[in-house]
Amino acid sequence: VVLNSQYGFIEPYRTNTDSFKYTAAHSFEQECARVCHDGLWGLIDRQGNYILPPTYSQIEQFAEGLALVSLHNKIGFINKKGEVVIPLEYDNGRSFSEGLAAVCIESQSSKWGYINKDNEEDFLLSTILQNPFITTYSSGHLMKSNENQQTGQ
């Protein structure tokens, strides 16, 4: 809910407005919600307690139990406890889908590859892609778009 340009969460039949302290917020995803305070994102539980204090410049929606986070132009992944599962060592990336996440290994040359949830390259798909415009990995197929054209690779 938004009140005076501040975001917060309320329960039915309660009028407490103390929770309206966030500059942006997303709905709860099971046990946590992503909230922004002073330009940084964190996680709160349903009681409004911080699971993860505002730390990151971005926290994406959770996918397969992990959320992509970014700070200082590097990305990594956290779990719903706010713990770093994959260190912030990549230049860019996409959320997990079917156990894999596309990550930019070297931004200068736009080299992309895939990692699994243990931060290991998936060698079945480890061919480095130049400027891939990766959109998704689904049902065992890499969907790649190039010049507004999508192809299954």
Side-chain angles (χ1 to χ4, degrees):
V1 176
V2 181
L3 177 67
N4 298 325
S5 299
Q6 295 290 300
Y7 288 74
F9 299 90
I10 60 172
E11 294 183 43
Y13 312 110
R14 287 202 178 169
T15 58
N16 182 0
T17 59
D18 293 340
S19 71
F20 290 85
K21 57 186 173 187
Y22 308 111
T23 53
H26 293 278
S27 299
F28 276 90
E29 299 174 43
Q30 298 169 7
E31 64 271 6
C32 65
R34 298 171 287 148
V35 295
C36 183
H37 184 70
D38 291 334
L40 295 175
W41 288 85
L43 301 174
I44 61 168
D45 63 18
R46 290 193 178 273
Q47 288 72 44
N49 302 312
Y50 280 113
I51 297 169
L52 171 67
T55 304
Y56 297 104
S57 54
Q58 175 185 6
I59 300 178
E60 293 279 329
Q61 183 174 0
F62 281 90
E64 299 186 15
L66 300 178
L68 182 147
V69 295
S70 64
L71 184 65
H72 305 303
N73 297 317
K74 293 291 184 182
I75 68 106
F77 294 85
I78 62 170
N79 61 22
K80 289 187 178 184
K81 295 178 183 177
E83 301 165 331
V84 175
V85 177
I86 297 175
L88 285 79
E89 59 189 15
Y90 298 102
D91 294 337
N92 201 344
R94 303 290 182 267
S95 295
F96 274 89
S97 176
E98 297 191 30
L100 298 174
V103 292
C104 182
I105 299 165
E106 189 179 304
S107 65
Q108 296 294 343
S109 58
S110 298
K111 290 185 178 180
W112 287 72
Y114 282 89
I115 58 170
N116 63 21
K117 292 181 182 181
D118 294 323
N119 199 22
E120 300 168 334
E121 285 188 20
D122 186 308
F123 291 101
L124 296 174
L125 296 172
S126 67
T127 54
I128 301 299
L129 305 169
Q130 292 288 339
N131 205 6
F133 299 101
I134 296 169
T135 55
T136 187
Y137 178 77
S138 178
S139 302
H141 294 90
L142 166 64
M143 297 305 293
K144 176 180 146 180
S145 65
N146 196 356
E147 298 178 356
N148 297 327
Q149 195 174 34
Q150 284 198 352
T151 58
Q153 298 287 322

